[in-house]
Amino acid sequence: MMFFNVCFFTDDSLFFIFFLLFLSSGVMHNHYILIKYLIDHSATTFTTKANAPATLINVETNMQWTTLSLAVRAATNTKPTMEVHDNVYVLELIRKYSPDVEIMTKSGLTALIIACGDGLLNIVIYLIEVYGAEPNSQNETGFSPLHAAARSGHDSVVMALLGRGGDLSIEDENGWTCLHFAAQQGHVSTCSLLAQQGGKDFFEIKNVMGESAARIAFKWGKADVLDALSYYE
């Protein structure tokens, strides 16, 4: 069970806790009718600023996950038989309550970083184009959505980010670019895609240890990546 950092000291505090527990359960298990009922009911029942759904929607678990970040992670588990649009349905439901798209979990994940790492192309596009998520946002370690997509080898997500202002040259605190992450994980097609898009100057970027992406591939024993990258040297 999840515990919430709820700072409400009214007679309705217990209700808020159960509201959030049920809402999170609905989000994680794609119970759309339950989610809609909870949100609509709270909207008509509570009118004060402190109790409004717009405030509730951004309340965090003890690991700093919100309804939005839970909804994005839950989309990874959407049944293959469901329509493509179904895994953005919850995002559509809660959007009118203005969830904060840039809130980070305790481990530094925004909703967009989660979607990119999980390969959720339609949600990545929805978060950027509808929610206004920043494609080049970075957490405290400098990790970005493009880093997440490249590390997981999601080429379509990489292209979606680049087509919406994603910056290839962004480095994390250790000087790693998205190409370093892709090379470390052995994603040949992703490395080729990034090298093509970035050109020679990008290809030669070194991290704080003086290592290029090709060096990372060699270090981690990714021979196929090394062969692919040698074409761009």
Side-chain angles (χ1 to χ4, degrees):
M1 181 177 293
M2 294 184 176
F3 296 91
F4 291 81
N5 299 322
V6 182
C7 298
F8 300 113
F9 299 98
T10 71
D11 293 336
D12 293 319
S13 294
L14 187 59
F15 171 83
F16 295 137
I17 293 173
F18 280 103
F19 171 88
L20 290 165
L21 288 172
F22 280 118
L23 182 59
S24 296
S25 177
V27 165
M28 288 301 292
H29 298 287
N30 296 312
H31 296 318
Y32 301 141
I33 295 176
L34 172 61
I35 296 165
K36 190 174 189 307
Y37 174 82
L38 287 171
I39 292 177
D40 288 346
H41 181 70
S42 64
T44 57
T45 303
F46 300 102
T47 57
T48 66
K49 182 177 180 181
N51 300 345
T55 301
L56 288 173
I57 216 73
N58 290 320
V59 172
E60 303 169 4
T61 69
N62 62 327
M63 296 303 292
Q64 296 173 224
W65 285 70
T66 65
T67 300
L68 177 59
S69 52
L70 287 169
V72 172
R73 176 48 53 84
T76 307
N77 301 317
T78 298
K79 296 177 182 178
T81 55
M82 297 178 74
E83 296 292 336
V84 172
H85 64 79
D86 282 349
N87 62 2
V88 299
Y89 184 65
V90 177
L91 276 64
E92 294 173 349
L93 278 179
I94 66 177
R95 184 166 64 91
K96 62 181 177 180
Y97 299 118
S98 303
D100 188 340
V101 73
E102 300 299 344
I103 289 179
M104 294 184 184
T105 67
K106 204 166 189 176
S107 56
L109 304 177
T110 61
L112 184 57
I113 288 177
I114 294 168
C116 290
D118 290 351
L120 303 172
L121 176 61
N122 56 318
I123 287 185
V124 168
I125 295 172
Y126 192 85
L127 287 172
I128 295 173
E129 295 188 351
V130 179
Y131 272 72
E134 170 52 56
N136 294 316
S137 62
Q138 294 176 268
N139 63 19
E140 292 183 356
T141 67
F143 195 68
S144 74
L146 198 50
H147 291 155
R151 186 175 68 178
S152 297
H154 297 306
D155 295 358
S156 60
V157 174
V158 169
M159 289 303 297
L161 290 168
L162 294 179
R164 291 164 177 79
D167 184 356
L168 281 174
S169 64
I170 287 179
E171 301 176 17
D172 73 356
E173 63 182 5
N174 294 313
W176 281 49
T177 66
C178 50
L179 185 57
H180 285 89
F181 284 107
Q184 182 196 44
Q185 297 301 313
H187 299 307
V188 177
S189 63
T190 308
C191 287
S192 296
L193 171 63
L194 292 171
Q196 290 171 1
Q197 294 292 319
K200 186 174 178 61
D201 289 342
F202 168 69
F203 176 82
E204 293 179 345
I205 292 177
K206 294 180 172 59
N207 62 20
V208 296
M209 299 297 293
E211 300 165 318
S212 65
R215 174 62 184 171
I216 291 295
F218 175 80
K219 181 178 179 179
W220 287 81
K222 308 299 182 182
D224 290 343
V225 170
L226 196 58
D227 287 342
L229 291 179
S230 64
Y231 176 81
Y232 301 97
E233 291 181 329

